[in-house]
Amino acid sequence: MKDSFNNIIHSKTPVLVDFFADWCGPCKTLTPILKEVKTELGERIKIVKINVDKNQTLAANYQVKGVPTMLLFKEGKQVWRQSGVLQKNDIIQIINAHQ
C-alpha cells in the first residue's frame, strides 16, 4: 500500500485523503459529504479513503490519532490537515485555496 499511496499523492491533481474506520460514526457522516465534493469538483480533485484498521502503518506514518482525519496533498506535499467532519462548502473552499 505504501508504494501505491506515494504514487497517488504525488499526482499533479490535489489529493484529499480521508483516514476513516468502519466503526466510526462521524466517518459515516463524512462519506456522503465527500461524494458531494467529488461530484462538484470532478477531475480537479482525487479523493482517497484509507481504513486505519487495515492500514495501521500508513496511519501511524501520518500520525493519525483520531478519525476521521483528512489530509490534502499537492504534488506529494501535505498542504492541509483536519480531524473531524467538515461541511461540503468548507472542504471545497480549502481545496480551491490549494489549487
Side-chain angles (χ1 to χ4, degrees):
M1 178 63 176
K2 183 85 172 115
D3 288 339
S4 61
F5 183 78
N6 281 332
N7 290 340
I8 291 167
I9 65 171
H10 279 84
S11 165
K12 294 246 184 254
T13 304
V15 180
L16 182 66
V17 180
D18 171 28
F19 285 92
F20 77 100
D22 291 331
W23 46 264
C24 164
C27 298
K28 293 175 184 169
T29 301
L30 185 59
T31 296
I33 294 170
L34 292 178
K35 286 181 181 171
E36 290 177 22
V37 169
K38 179 63 179 167
T39 298
E40 189 158 323
L41 294 180
E43 297 302 313
R44 296 186 338 201
I45 187 71
K46 290 182 182 177
I47 298 176
V48 179
K49 295 182 70 63
I50 303 290
N51 185 319
V52 295
D53 292 327
K54 295 178 182 172
N55 299 281
Q56 293 178 354
T57 303
L58 188 59
N61 287 347
Y62 287 95
Q63 300 172 350
V64 174
K65 306 280 189 231
V67 286
T69 295
M70 292 179 283
L71 282 69
L72 183 64
F73 292 90
K74 188 169 183 183
E75 296 181 7
K77 292 184 176 68
Q78 181 182 320
V79 296
W80 175 81
R81 175 187 187 113
Q82 176 79 39
S83 293
V85 176
L86 293 178
Q87 295 307 308
K88 177 185 83 166
N89 291 337
D90 296 329
I91 297 170
I92 289 172
Q93 188 174 16
I94 290 159
I95 293 166
N96 286 338
H98 292 94
Q99 287 287 328

